[in-house]
Amino acid sequence: MNSADLGRRVGVPSTALFTDQYELTMVQAALKAGTADRRSVFEAFTRRLPEGRRYGVVAGTGRVLDAVENFHFDDEMLGFLRDQNIVDAPTIDWLADYRFSGDIWGYPEGEVYFPGSPLLRVEGSFAECVLLETVILSILNHDSAIAAAASRMSAAAGGRRLIEMGARRTHELSAVAAARAAYIGGFHTTSDLAAGFRYNIPTVGTSAHAFTLLHDSERDAFRAQVDSLGRGTSLLVDTYDVTEAVRTAVEIAGPELGAVRIDSGDLLLVAHRVRQQLDELGATQTKIVVTSDLDEYAIASLAAAPVDAYGVGTQLVTGSGHPTCSMVYKLVARAGSADPSDPLLPVVKKSLGAKSSRGGRKWAARRLDEYGAAEAEVIGTGPVPAELADRQLLVELVRGGEVVAREPLEAARERHVAARKGLPMSAIQLSRGEPVIPTEYV
């Protein structure tokens, strides 16, 4: 990945307090113990996929890079930490000069992942790496959950257009991140202008039922919209009677009418009736857009319907039932000092149940079968086998504290299309099942 002109850049405030208190108290104790500078390796991964999911989607990496760059403590923040007695004076002095100076490697944005995949590897001193835990996980867990849902919806849509329209169903800032993740996962446009402004995602939108209800008649509302936005606009036809609304819409806009939107009722039945009516009225090129609490299953159920685009809100921005990916951020290796020549020693959490992890600084590669489809996610800590050398998944993101891998959002979107195509065909089945390929450790 190469640096690129990403269009409009929006200032990001400091992310230093997007963290949990125990990260700062760990730094304080490590500074006092003389272990804060020990060279360390942290990895972000998930032990399992959400129930029934066949693959995960990496999203949020670009936002993580912004967060790392903007992780610094200003005077007001330091004053808060001091006034609340959260950490002591030597720790506050250390935080005042904090800038991440280590290295980060990770799966590129848009790539797919599986249980155990080392999605992000953060290397540096213990103190500088541990501070980033919460902000990294909050971004990756949220954005990857949305991207995975978007990917499933995109697969179910079978090439039909998808509109992200969930801003009113989530936190205002989460809405912007959700639109970005949905675009990576296969959506084509968003209704959220902040997402369009910040990330150059194409935006769409025309009118709601309120606009129709404002006017003395549906005809008056349609006429006002067409006069303002042109014949190619999309008219909402289910405020009153759909059949009458479609007739009126074509009378006013003519066969050049861009689209009609249906937001309620039996969408399968109504879409068929509307398509027949449009064709009979000569509006054969007018598109049909459906909305109304859609998810991937509803989209799949409409595969036989004459629908041209789907608008999705609530289910998308909540991860379609799985709003987090349950990623964790664990120390997997550390040295005895800050000396680069001091060897890294694997460390591992041992616990009962399913919360154990694997130690060591890891690489990951995807092995292909004879037909070129993925057959295993291979993860190791030693030398990379020769046959997997050109199939490695981690790329360099940050070197010596400097971001080296910014890219246009379109690149992540295209990468996801290629990554999903590289999986076995069963990956896009909506029926519940295990990960589509196994994770192997070597």
Side-chain angles (χ1 to χ4, degrees), residues 225-257:
Q225 185 174 327
V226 170
D227 286 348
S228 175
L229 301 179
R231 295 176 183 269
T233 191
S234 297
L235 294 174
L236 181 58
V237 295
D238 72 332
T239 305
Y240 304 118
D241 180 80
V242 173
T243 301
E244 183 60 32
V246 171
R247 183 181 300 112
T248 302
V250 176
E251 286 179 5
I252 291 173
E256 298 88 359
L257 175 62

Side-chain angles (χ1 to χ4, degrees), residues 53 57 140-150 316 319-320 322-325:
R53 295 289 172 89
V57 181
L140 292 182
N141 269 314
H142 173 269
D143 290 22
S144 296
I146 307 305
L316 176 61
S320 195
H322 298 288
T324 180
C325 301

Side-chain angles (χ1 to χ4, degrees), residues 4 20 41 44 46 54 68 85 116 159 162-163 209 264 274 305 353 400 437:
D20 291 310
V41 180
T46 184
R54 305 298 182 91
V68 171
N85 295 314
L162 290 162
I163 306 163
H209 292 104
S264 58
V274 168
I437 62 173

Side-chain angles (χ1 to χ4, degrees), residues 145-200:
I146 307 305
S151 180
R152 285 163 60 86
M153 293 173 188
S154 173
R160 296 173 178 178
R161 296 188 69 79
L162 290 162
I163 306 163
E164 184 281 314
M165 47 193 302
R168 65 192 62 195
R169 302 293 188 233
T170 188
H171 184 279
E172 66 272 19
L173 297 182
S174 296
V176 181
R180 181 184 184 280
Y183 191 68
I184 291 171
F187 273 61
H188 299 86
T189 55
T190 179
S191 65
D192 190 82
L193 290 177
F197 175 79
R198 182 167 298 192
Y199 298 118
N200 293 327

Side-chain angles (χ1 to χ4, degrees), residues 252-334:
I252 291 173
E256 298 88 359
L257 175 62
V260 295
R261 179 162 74 93
I262 307 166
D263 189 51
S264 58
D266 183 338
L267 297 179
L268 178 63
L269 176 62
V270 175
H272 276 287
R273 289 178 174 173
V274 168
R275 180 74 272 160
Q276 180 180 353
Q277 185 182 9
L278 287 170
D279 292 345
E280 290 173 350
L281 293 171
T284 58
Q285 301 305 307
T286 299
K287 307 296 185 184
I288 296 177
V289 181
V290 296
T291 53
S292 185
D293 290 329
L294 299 177
D295 61 9
E296 60 265 48
Y297 301 102
I299 291 171
S301 73
L302 292 168
V307 172
D308 299 286
Y310 306 93
V312 190
T314 303
Q315 291 301 316
L316 176 61
V317 299
T318 57
S320 195
H322 298 288
T324 180
C325 301
S326 298
M327 294 179 193
V328 295
Y329 182 87
K330 298 297 181 184
L331 180 67
V332 297
R334 58 91 174 166

Side-chain angles (χ1 to χ4, degrees), residues 412-430:
R413 176 182 170 85
E414 292 172 359
R415 181 179 296 113
H416 179 61
V417 172
R420 195 173 67 189
K421 283 183 178 179
L423 297 176
M425 293 183 64
S426 57
I428 63 173
Q429 292 178 340
L430 295 182

